[in-house]
Amino acid sequence: VILVMLSAAAISLPFSVKKTSSPHSAALFSIESVRAASAAGRIPVVVFTADWCPNCKLVEKTVLESEKVENLVRARNIALFYADITEKGTEGEELLTRLGGTAIPFLAVFPAGEKFSSPVCLRDIYTVSDFEEAVRTASE
Protein backbone atom coordinates (compact mmCIF):
# COMPACT_ATOMS: atom_id res chain seq x y z
CA VAL A 1 0.00 0.00 0.00
CA ILE A 2 2.82 2.39 0.89
CA LEU A 3 4.63 1.56 -2.34
CA VAL A 4 1.47 2.30 -4.35
CA MET A 5 1.01 5.62 -2.52
CA LEU A 6 4.64 6.64 -3.09
CA SER A 7 4.41 5.68 -6.76
CA ALA A 8 1.23 7.71 -7.20
CA ALA A 9 2.83 10.72 -5.50
CA ALA A 10 5.94 10.47 -7.68
CA ILE A 11 3.85 10.26 -10.84
CA SER A 12 1.58 13.17 -9.90
CA LEU A 13 4.37 15.47 -8.64
CA PRO A 14 5.55 16.56 -12.09
CA PHE A 15 2.01 17.44 -13.14
CA SER A 16 1.32 19.47 -10.00
CA VAL A 17 4.34 21.71 -10.58
CA LYS A 18 3.41 25.16 -11.81
CA LYS A 19 4.61 25.62 -15.37
CA THR A 20 7.60 27.92 -15.66
CA SER A 21 10.07 28.39 -18.44
CA SER A 22 12.86 27.54 -16.00
CA PRO A 23 13.48 27.45 -12.27
CA HIS A 24 16.47 29.77 -12.61
CA SER A 25 16.88 33.05 -14.34
CA ALA A 26 18.02 31.20 -17.43
CA ALA A 27 19.06 32.96 -20.60
CA LEU A 28 17.09 32.54 -23.80
CA PHE A 29 18.38 29.40 -25.55
CA SER A 30 20.06 29.53 -28.91
CA ILE A 31 23.22 27.86 -30.18
CA GLU A 32 24.77 31.31 -30.60
CA SER A 33 24.06 32.31 -26.99
CA VAL A 34 25.55 29.04 -25.72
CA ARG A 35 28.70 29.62 -27.79
CA ALA A 36 28.91 33.24 -26.63
CA ALA A 37 28.70 32.18 -22.97
CA SER A 38 31.51 29.68 -23.50
CA ALA A 39 33.66 32.25 -25.32
CA ALA A 40 33.14 34.62 -22.38
CA GLY A 41 34.59 32.01 -20.01
CA ARG A 42 31.28 30.84 -18.55
CA ILE A 43 30.18 27.19 -18.31
CA PRO A 44 27.07 26.79 -20.49
CA VAL A 45 24.58 24.19 -19.26
CA VAL A 46 21.69 23.29 -21.56
CA VAL A 47 18.68 21.60 -20.01
CA PHE A 48 16.48 19.88 -22.59
CA THR A 49 12.86 19.79 -21.49
CA ALA A 50 9.28 19.69 -22.77
CA ASP A 51 5.85 20.41 -21.33
CA TRP A 52 4.76 16.82 -22.00
CA CYS A 53 7.72 15.26 -20.10
CA PRO A 54 6.88 14.32 -16.48
CA ASN A 55 10.44 13.11 -15.81
CA CYS A 56 11.77 16.51 -16.92
CA LYS A 57 9.47 18.25 -14.44
CA LEU A 58 10.61 15.86 -11.72
CA VAL A 59 14.30 16.59 -12.42
CA GLU A 60 13.63 20.34 -12.56
CA LYS A 61 11.87 20.24 -9.19
CA THR A 62 14.21 17.86 -7.33
CA VAL A 63 17.57 18.69 -8.89
CA LEU A 64 17.65 21.98 -10.78
CA GLU A 65 15.59 23.88 -8.21
CA SER A 66 17.62 22.49 -5.30
CA GLU A 67 19.55 24.94 -3.16
CA LYS A 68 22.79 23.06 -3.83
CA VAL A 69 22.45 23.39 -7.62
CA GLU A 70 21.31 27.01 -7.41
CA ASN A 71 24.39 27.83 -5.29
CA LEU A 72 26.64 25.97 -7.74
CA VAL A 73 25.17 27.89 -10.70
CA ARG A 74 26.01 31.18 -8.97
CA ALA A 75 29.42 30.14 -7.61
CA ARG A 76 30.77 28.57 -10.82
CA ASN A 77 29.53 31.28 -13.19
CA ILE A 78 27.30 28.82 -15.02
CA ALA A 79 25.16 30.10 -17.88
CA LEU A 80 21.96 28.08 -17.69
CA PHE A 81 19.83 27.59 -20.80
CA TYR A 82 16.54 25.74 -21.17
CA ALA A 83 15.95 24.20 -24.59
CA ASP A 84 12.21 23.60 -24.79
CA ILE A 85 11.48 20.85 -27.29
CA THR A 86 7.74 20.73 -26.67
CA GLU A 87 7.25 21.55 -30.34
CA LYS A 88 8.93 19.59 -33.13
CA GLY A 89 11.66 21.13 -35.29
CA THR A 90 13.19 23.47 -32.72
CA GLU A 91 16.83 24.48 -32.50
CA GLY A 92 16.95 22.64 -29.18
CA GLU A 93 15.73 19.42 -30.77
CA GLU A 94 18.41 19.76 -33.44
CA LEU A 95 21.15 20.16 -30.81
CA LEU A 96 19.76 17.24 -28.80
CA THR A 97 20.03 15.04 -31.91
CA ARG A 98 23.58 16.24 -32.63
CA LEU A 99 24.58 15.31 -29.09
CA GLY A 100 23.22 11.79 -29.57
CA GLY A 101 20.19 12.34 -27.38
CA THR A 102 17.11 10.33 -28.21
CA ALA A 103 15.08 11.00 -25.06
CA ILE A 104 14.66 13.58 -22.34
CA PRO A 105 15.48 14.55 -19.64
CA PHE A 106 18.88 15.36 -21.09
CA LEU A 107 21.48 17.84 -19.89
CA ALA A 108 24.63 19.05 -21.64
CA VAL A 109 27.44 20.83 -19.78
CA PHE A 110 29.72 22.59 -22.25
CA PRO A 111 33.27 23.40 -21.21
CA ALA A 112 34.23 27.04 -21.50
CA GLY A 113 36.65 28.08 -24.21
CA GLU A 114 38.53 25.71 -26.50
CA LYS A 115 37.01 22.44 -25.22
CA PHE A 116 33.48 23.65 -26.09
CA SER A 117 32.87 20.86 -28.62
CA SER A 118 33.20 18.13 -25.95
CA PRO A 119 30.21 18.52 -23.63
CA VAL A 120 29.49 16.28 -20.68
CA CYS A 121 25.99 14.83 -21.14
CA LEU A 122 23.56 13.42 -18.61
CA ARG A 123 20.75 11.23 -19.87
CA ASP A 124 17.47 10.28 -18.24
CA ILE A 125 16.83 11.12 -14.60
CA TYR A 126 19.94 12.56 -12.95
CA THR A 127 20.75 13.66 -9.41
CA VAL A 128 22.30 16.71 -7.78
CA SER A 129 25.54 14.72 -7.46
CA ASP A 130 25.44 13.87 -11.17
CA PHE A 131 24.99 17.57 -11.98
CA GLU A 132 27.93 18.53 -9.72
CA GLU A 133 30.16 15.85 -11.26
CA ALA A 134 29.28 16.94 -14.82
CA VAL A 135 30.19 20.56 -14.01
CA ARG A 136 33.43 19.42 -12.34
CA THR A 137 34.37 17.25 -15.35
CA ALA A 138 33.57 20.02 -17.85
CA SER A 139 35.71 22.43 -15.82
CA GLU A 140 38.85 20.28 -15.98
Side-chain angles (χ1 to χ4, degrees):
V1 172
I2 292 173
L3 182 59
V4 170
M5 289 173 57
L6 288 174
S7 297
I11 291 170
S12 66
L13 174 68
F15 296 109
S16 65
V17 175
K18 185 177 134 188
K19 183 183 179 223
T20 59
S21 59
S22 71
H24 301 274
S25 55
L28 186 61
F29 170 77
S30 71
I31 300 294
E32 294 80 27
S33 58
V34 172
R35 287 182 196 269
S38 176
R42 297 185 73 192
I43 300 168
V45 174
V46 180
V47 177
F48 296 87
T49 189
D51 287 345
W52 46 260
C53 176
N55 288 342
C56 297
K57 302 303 178 199
L58 179 66
V59 168
E60 288 171 16
K61 196 71 175 162
T62 60
V63 176
L64 301 173
E65 292 180 13
S66 74
E67 186 176 337
K68 205 168 193 180
V69 167
E70 288 179 351
N71 290 338
L72 183 65
V73 166
R74 283 190 295 275
R76 298 298 300 266
N77 197 24
I78 293 172
L80 197 59
F81 299 91
Y82 278 71
D84 186 348
I85 62 167
T86 300
E87 302 293 326
K88 293 280 185 194
T90 63
E91 190 174 17
E93 185 178 44
E94 180 182 331
L95 178 59
L96 178 66
T97 301
R98 279 193 209 164
L99 294 173
T102 57
I104 55 175
F106 191 94
L107 179 109
V109 182
F110 291 86
E114 296 176 7
K115 295 182 180 180
F116 176 79
S117 61
S118 300
V120 177
C121 298
L122 299 177
R123 291 166 170 76
D124 304 317
I125 295 177
Y126 48 88
T127 65
V128 170
S129 296
D130 295 334
F131 184 94
E132 291 173 316
E133 181 62 29
V135 169
R136 188 174 16 266
T137 300
S139 300
E140 295 175 345

